[in-house]
């Protein structure tokens, strides 16, 4: 009887380790970033956990609107800042394994001849990917 109970417990533990635990892992930040892709309009990209800081180096482009694409996990709203000023937010995925997100478009022309910093913050465990591109791309 004890052997049967021990065998059942080992089987249950194996199911938890092989099936349940992989489903609770958050996605890799690099994988989220890869899903966003790269185009000619891409200015800068970055990924991380909790917060991401992306430096947009000076470009040989005229001033234009900028779109910040954010993918993130967790229950929080990812907050987007350009040079320290709040620009908007996007809802994250709702849990640690599901990515959500969206775009924040900065409609006022941004001078791309100087360096800018885009920061995205969410809950500390959130996986975040950020792509900064010229608007309309």
């Amino acid at each position: 009887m004890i052997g049967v109970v021990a065998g059942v417990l080992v089987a249950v533990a194996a199911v938890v380790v092989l099936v349940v635990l992989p489903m609770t892992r958050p996605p890799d930040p690099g994988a989220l970033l890869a899903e966003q892709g790269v185009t000619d309009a891409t200015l800068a990209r970055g990924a991380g956990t909790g917060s991401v800081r992306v430096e947009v180096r000076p470009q040989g482009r005229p001033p234009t609107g900028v779109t910040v694409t954010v993918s993130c996990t967790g229950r929080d709203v990812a907050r987007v800042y350009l040079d320290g000023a709040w620009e908007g937010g996007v809802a994250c995925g709702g849990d640690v394994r599901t990515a959500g997100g969206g775009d924040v478009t900065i409609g006022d022309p941004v001078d791309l001849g100087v360096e800018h910093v885009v920061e995205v913050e969410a809950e500390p465990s959130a996986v975040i990917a950020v792509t900064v591109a010229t608007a309309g791309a």
Side-chain angles (χ1 to χ4, degrees):
M1 182 67 174
I2 293 176
V4 172
V5 171
V8 170
L9 289 175
V10 168
V12 169
V15 168
V16 168
V17 168
L18 296 175
V19 177
V20 176
L21 287 181
M23 293 177 11
T24 60
R25 280 192 210 140
D28 176 65
L32 278 183
L33 191 59
E35 289 175 9
Q36 291 180 353
V38 177
T39 67
D40 290 339
T42 301
L43 301 170
R45 304 174 64 188
T49 304
S51 66
V52 174
R53 177 184 167 98
V54 178
E55 294 178 5
V56 179
R57 303 276 183 214
Q59 309 278 317
R61 302 180 191 209
T64 185
V66 171
T67 298
V68 180
T69 300
V70 178
S71 299
C72 54
T73 64
R75 294 188 177 105
D76 205 354
V77 170
R79 297 163 304 280
V80 178
Y81 301 89
L82 173 66
D83 297 328
W86 183 79
E87 297 293 341
V90 297
C92 292
D95 61 48
V96 296
R97 351 175 262 287
T98 306
D103 296 335
V104 172
T105 299
I106 301 158
D108 293 335
V110 175
D111 180 1
L112 297 177
V114 297
E115 183 173 281
H116 295 281
V117 175
V118 174
E119 294 175 281
V120 178
E121 299 175 345
E123 63 187 56
S125 62
V127 176
I128 304 169
V130 178
T131 298
V132 181
T134 56

